[in-house]
Amino acid sequence: MRRSSPILRRLLSGAAAGSSAGARRSITYMPRPGDGTPRPVTLIPGDGIGPLVTGAVRQVMEAMHAPVYFETYEVHGDMTTVPPEVIESIRRNKVCLKGGLATPVGGGVSSLNVQLRKELDLYASLVHCFNLPGLPTRHENVDIVVIRENTEGEYSGLEHEVVPGVVESLKVITKFCSERIAKYAFEYAYLNNRKKVTAVHKANIMKLADGLFLESCREVATKYPGIKYNEIIVDNCCMQLVSKPEQFDVMVTPNLYGNLVANTAAGIAGGTGVMPGGNVGQDHAVFEQGASAGNVGNEKLVEQKKANPVALLLSSSMMLRHLQFPSFADRLETAVKRVIAEGKYRTKDLGGSSTTQEVVDAVIANLD
């Protein structure tokens, strides 16, 4: 919002004020015939708090009469593979909403999250970390978008035991994947009126692998002269994030660094429970809580039914925009921000004691 033109800022602030002020967009959205046809969305409730927060989304969607309906599949992190019928549903529907999937630590079970990304070639992860009005944080004016390469790097899964007691793990970086994530980051910045893209790397040590990533980013940057480009070593990046996060705009990273940077930025901006995100490829998109930390929660949260649904509600707003339902996306985002700003209904991670259902009811009550 901070980079919007004055006219656009007035329009958005007017929209946020709600219908009570009689606010309306001055230029209407003209849909194509048939654009209002309800769209199917694959729904994976997932593990832990997943069923709670995906259930919250379903309630709000029904209250808004949003033009989407869900095809629900049970998938859990202890499965060996994602069931074929789930993959087929996402391929058919093009869009998926999912709760967290628990990934066993150690052992031979691979992450189903990684499987989904690779199977559907969801090569770009996007996490939007920003200050929410009314939610106090240490830093102000935080508005960071972390775009992470999702299919290679340390997540390639190429590990083996050379001899007993010696394990080798391969980090794979390719020109193709580095170029396309760089192109996505700059295209995102261009389409969203962002001013700067920062490439995060460790090329001072991994000179060939991260060097190739940087080379690709530099080549793509020359095609976007209106967008400032800079680079930062990942350890310095983490220090700068916690000391002066407002300096960052769009960040593009290899796989592992992006996971660390996104979770750090989310914690700075208000917590992982309020940051939206998604994974996108050429043909498919999966929307979920933006930062991975805490996306499954713990048994106590599940038993008390006090999981924070805000992150997935805002991710659902992203999904509605992706589906070209901008008015529904605006209504949902505005309602969530009103509830946060009022401060009456907040879950424990935001300093309150509300249940998931109380937050959902408040969001529904604030829908225009």
Side-chain angles (χ1 to χ4, degrees), residues 284-304:
H284 312 96
V286 174
F287 295 87
E288 58 188 332
Q289 177 177 311
S292 58
N295 65 352
V296 176
N298 55 52
E299 291 183 8
K300 189 175 181 180
L301 273 179
V302 176
E303 290 171 0
Q304 295 179 343

Side-chain angles (χ1 to χ4, degrees), residues 104-273:
V105 178
V109 180
S110 63
S111 166
L112 296 192
N113 295 300
V114 174
Q115 283 187 34
L116 265 178
R117 295 166 196 161
K118 289 185 175 180
E119 183 69 29
L120 299 168
D121 197 24
L122 304 170
Y123 67 86
S125 165
L126 187 150
V127 182
H128 189 186
C129 304
F130 58 98
N131 293 125
L132 283 163
L135 185 62
T137 58
R138 186 180 297 273
H139 297 280
E140 297 181 352
N141 302 316
V142 178
D143 188 5
I144 303 170
V145 174
V146 181
I147 294 176
R148 160 193 174 196
E149 204 292 317
N150 232 1
T151 61
E152 56 176 19
E154 294 85 352
Y155 286 59
S156 300
L158 301 174
E159 296 183 310
H160 64 278
E161 190 173 41
V162 183
V163 295
V166 179
V167 172
E168 189 174 58
S169 178
L170 302 180
K171 170 177 176 173
V172 177
I173 297 288
T174 65
K175 180 82 168 175
F176 173 78
C177 289
S178 297
E179 279 189 347
R180 71 175 180 174
I181 195 64
K183 287 177 182 176
Y184 184 81
F186 275 93
E187 185 175 54
Y188 172 87
Y190 171 67
L191 293 174
N192 286 277
N193 197 27
R194 295 273 179 161
K195 304 304 181 186
K196 181 170 68 173
V197 173
T198 301
V200 182
H201 67 94
K202 191 65 177 173
N204 58 324
I205 302 299
M206 285 169 274
K207 298 181 185 297
L208 292 178
D210 284 21
L212 178 58
F213 176 78
L214 279 187
E215 177 187 312
S216 302
C217 290
R218 290 167 183 167
E219 289 178 5
V220 173
T222 62
K223 300 174 183 177
Y224 291 85
I227 297 172
K228 183 180 178 182
Y229 170 70
N230 66 349
E231 301 166 357
I232 188 168
I233 297 173
V234 63
D235 39 354
N236 184 32
C237 172
C238 293
M239 188 275 288
Q240 294 289 337
L241 266 175
V242 299
S243 60
K244 195 178 178 184
E246 61 274 7
Q247 69 182 285
F248 295 107
D249 190 349
V250 176
M251 307 175 78
V252 59
T253 78
N255 207 333
L256 178 62
Y257 309 154
N259 192 16
L260 304 177
V261 168
N263 280 276
T264 302
I268 289 166
T272 58

Side-chain angles (χ1 to χ4, degrees), residues 305-325:
K305 298 184 178 180
K306 290 187 174 182
N308 191 345
V310 168
L312 201 64
L313 287 169
L314 292 177
S315 297
S316 300
S317 180
M318 286 175 57
M319 180 187 75
L320 289 168
R321 289 198 178 93
H322 180 80
L323 291 169
Q324 297 183 23
F325 297 134

Side-chain angles (χ1 to χ4, degrees), residues 306 339 345-346 353-363:
K306 290 187 174 182
V339 172
Y345 297 100
R346 292 182 181 175
S353 59
S354 300
T355 64
T356 306
Q357 189 60 53
E358 286 172 339
V359 176
V360 171
D361 291 342
V363 170

